[in-house]
Amino acid sequence: MKLLRYGAAGAEKPGLLDKSGTLRDLSSHIEDVAGDALLPETLARLAGLDPASLPAVEGNPRLGACVGQVGKFMCIGLNYSDHAAESGLAVPDEPVLFMKATSAITGPNDKIIIPRGSTKTDWEVELGVVIGKTAKYVSEEDALSYVAGYCVCHDVSERAFQIERAGQWTKGKSADSFGPIGPWLVTADEVEDPQDLDLWLEVDGHRYQEGTTKTMVYGVAHIVSYLSQFMSLQPGDVISTGTPPGVGMGQKPEAIYLKPGNVVRLGVNGLGEQRQEVVADD
Ligand code: ZN
């Protein structure tokens, strides 16, 4: 299933995209694509519905973030060896973990807003993992059974805030609009192998990032198991699993950063595409 949220920001309704590409409303079955609606038993119940019995949504509504009420937005840094190299950093001995403020989360096609004082707003296409049941001290062997599904995640990053200001990365990762997720959550049963997905990102039609989850240093099962040793993961938590090479910071002969007027497109095969216009904050 492809689960999504549609409508005005803050008032999204749950929906699904059927096999023919028609958006259908799920309001009579779940309140939101969030929390307990992602539990295995709820997903099984939704999978049993005949999509044709659900009301088709008229028009072409805005898509919201594909998961609502995200409790934790965890991110893995330097998880592709070639991206670590372009960042001038060694591949870490254990996953590098940081958090993004959940207030950064936006819809897949909402604008990217360059925050005040930013000179280095950058892009990162990533595979997003959505947790479907509480995970605590889970083994790597069992870890994927805790995953509800996958989505495209854009880990928008302000490099000066991230690296040149004191402390952790969080302040460079958390501005409003820095976390587009979606267009939809693709349930795990439809993703044959999360370690065999191509990712790409373009700015104004120029392809900067191209990679595959095959070259992740730490795969999804390892990441879920690893995080669950330090904290419990709950349904609706999102983990962004790191970016392949080709970020703006790594461009030669010099770095390239986003400017108002740029258009960013990105996708992961099988999980859909995002498109964002870049604007300045006012
Ligand atoms: Zn990232």
Side-chain angles (χ1 to χ4, degrees), residues 104-175:
I105 294 172
T106 50
N109 305 313
D110 290 347
K111 291 180 168 64
I112 291 173
I113 304 165
I114 297 180
R116 287 186 192 176
S118 164
T119 53
K120 298 183 177 178
T121 296
D122 201 350
W123 54 82
E124 296 191 349
V125 60
E126 307 201 358
L127 171 67
V129 175
V130 182
I131 296 297
K133 61 180 180 181
T134 298
K136 189 172 181 178
Y137 306 132
V138 301
S139 68
E140 191 166 334
E141 293 68 39
D142 291 340
L144 292 184
S145 69
Y146 293 82
V147 173
Y150 300 91
C151 62
V152 181
C153 183
H154 191 177
D155 178 18
V156 185
S157 304
E158 214 299 340
R159 302 300 182 195
F161 296 179
Q162 177 190 348
I163 298 165
E164 297 166 26
R165 308 290 288 268
Q168 301 182 326
W169 292 3
T170 306
K171 66 181 82 164
K173 299 283 190 171
S174 293

